[in-house]
Amino acid sequence: MNDDTVGAYVRVAGYGYHDRPYYSVKREGFTTYLLRLQVEGQAETVIDGRRVPLGVGDILLLAPKQPYELRIGDPSAYQTPVRSADYYIFCDGPWLDAWWRDRCRPRLATIPLDDGMLSLWRQVAWEKRRIGRTDERISDYLLRVLCLFIDRSLDDWQTRLVSPESLAAHRMKRFIEQNIGDELTLQDVADEVGLSVSRAVHLFKETFGCTIVQYIVDVRLKLASDRIRFSAMTLEQAAESAGFRSYSYFYRVFRDRYGVSPKQYRQQMQ
């Protein structure tokens, strides 16, 4: 394939946040590939007639014409608050056809949400939002890199030997990510894996190189920054929905992290 041509087209890309029940079905599938990554809360899909839960780090990989169904919360109880967020990319092109055929692709898999992976999803979505200034070649290569990162993450995750200690640490990490919008205490995290608080704190720091509290703040900041960048939420709503109960505290840690205020950050991203 000639690398000077566009081989992977990003047709639609974005960030979705749902605070009310939601239901979508397309039994005949889409005309493009769909990549969807759950980054907060929970959802549910249907694979081969079975209802399958989607948690943080779960990625849906759908080829054209594969059936699609997504449920968030109970659509019959629309006023019931829920919390779910995801990145999605509808894409096609000859490079993607070759990438898909290269191996047997799972419809659903779990990948670790490291900074490199998440930054690629964000960049693909942001590039597509650059109205009047988009460059299909940039989107093309960003998407190719993302697909290769997905492959590497799947290979690493599936072949890694996981000790009981490492498994417990990853369970704590996933618990934090799934409940990040709620009040979270060290006791809550430790109870999830049946450990004492002191043991849980030590194991988490040993595995991931940061404390549980640091990780909670880090995840909340990333979620809030996504909502400031991609949604029409007010700054206060973005902070609260990400789990910050005090806006003044959010303002301080946000400015420390990004070097600008939340308002300035939004203005820079427009």
Side-chain angles (χ1 to χ4, degrees):
M1 187 185 302
N2 185 349
D3 283 342
D4 292 332
T5 63
V6 175
Y9 293 90
V10 177
R11 302 303 182 182
V12 179
Y15 171 83
Y17 176 75
H18 299 275
D19 58 5
R20 290 290 184 270
Y22 173 83
Y23 179 70
S24 177
V25 60
K26 198 168 182 65
R27 304 197 188 285
E28 70 277 17
F30 301 102
T31 58
T32 65
Y33 297 94
L34 168 62
L35 314 180
R36 181 191 182 277
L37 178 66
Q38 187 82 19
V39 294
E40 183 186 359
Q42 296 179 323
E44 186 181 74
T45 190
V46 174
I47 297 177
D48 297 330
R50 296 183 300 108
R51 295 194 178 280
V52 180
L54 299 173
V56 175
D58 285 342
I59 182 171
L60 274 177
L61 302 171
L62 297 183
K65 299 182 180 180
Q66 284 187 321
Y68 171 79
E69 187 171 348
L70 182 72
R71 184 186 302 268
I72 298 172
D74 182 0
S76 65
Y78 185 73
Q79 296 304 316
T80 303
V82 298
R83 188 182 293 113
S84 177
D86 62 271
Y87 286 104
Y88 57 88
I89 303 171
F90 292 90
C91 49
D92 57 20
W95 187 90
L96 275 168
D97 292 335
W99 175 74
W100 192 270
R101 292 192 303 266
D102 184 56
R103 65 170 71 186
C104 182
R105 300 280 166 196
R107 291 275 296 277
L108 174 64
T110 301
I111 59 176
L113 297 186
D114 57 47
D115 286 342
M117 176 66 72
L118 286 174
S119 66
L120 281 168
W121 285 88
R122 293 186 182 105
Q123 194 60 45
V124 170
W126 184 244
E127 186 64 30
K128 197 62 181 175
R129 286 171 58 96
R130 293 167 60 89
I131 299 174
R133 297 177 294 161
T134 58
D135 188 326
E136 287 187 338
R137 295 170 301 175
I138 294 176
S139 293
D140 174 17
Y141 285 108
L142 283 171
L143 180 55
R144 295 193 202 197
V145 172
L146 175 60
C147 288
L148 296 176
F149 258 69
I150 290 172
D151 280 349
R152 187 169 71 180
S153 293
L154 291 175
D155 290 341
D156 289 348
W157 195 250
Q158 291 167 355
T159 60
R160 185 181 300 142
L161 293 176
V162 180
S163 67
E165 291 78 13
S166 178
L167 183 60
H170 281 88
R171 280 180 58 196
M172 287 190 283
K173 184 172 179 283
R174 188 174 177 86
F175 175 78
I176 291 169
E177 293 165 346
Q178 289 180 332
N179 298 277
I180 196 64
D182 301 329
E183 295 282 357
L184 277 175
T185 67
L186 294 177
Q187 190 66 59
D188 294 331
V189 178
D191 286 347
E192 173 66 14
V193 292
L195 297 175
S196 68
V197 170
S198 60
R199 176 59 182 155
V201 168
H202 174 78
L203 181 58
F204 194 95
K205 177 70 179 292
E206 186 177 52
T207 304
F208 300 112
C210 66
T211 68
I212 292 174
V213 172
Q214 287 171 335
Y215 186 68
I216 290 173
V217 173
D218 186 58
V219 173
R220 285 176 172 165
L221 279 173
K222 289 172 183 175
L223 290 174
S225 68
D226 283 344
R227 284 160 200 173
I228 292 171
R229 176 188 281 193
F230 295 114
S231 80
M233 287 182 178
T234 66
L235 300 176
E236 291 77 8
Q237 288 171 336
E240 184 176 2
S241 69
F244 290 100
R245 300 296 178 253
S246 165
Y247 186 79
S248 60
Y249 173 69
F250 164 71
Y251 182 96
R252 178 167 58 81
V253 296
F254 188 97
R255 191 177 184 91
D256 287 345
R257 170 63 60 85
Y258 296 104
V260 294
S261 70
K263 181 178 180 180
Q264 291 170 325
Y265 183 83
R266 171 166 273 173
Q267 290 172 340
Q268 290 176 359
M269 295 301 169
Q270 292 176 346

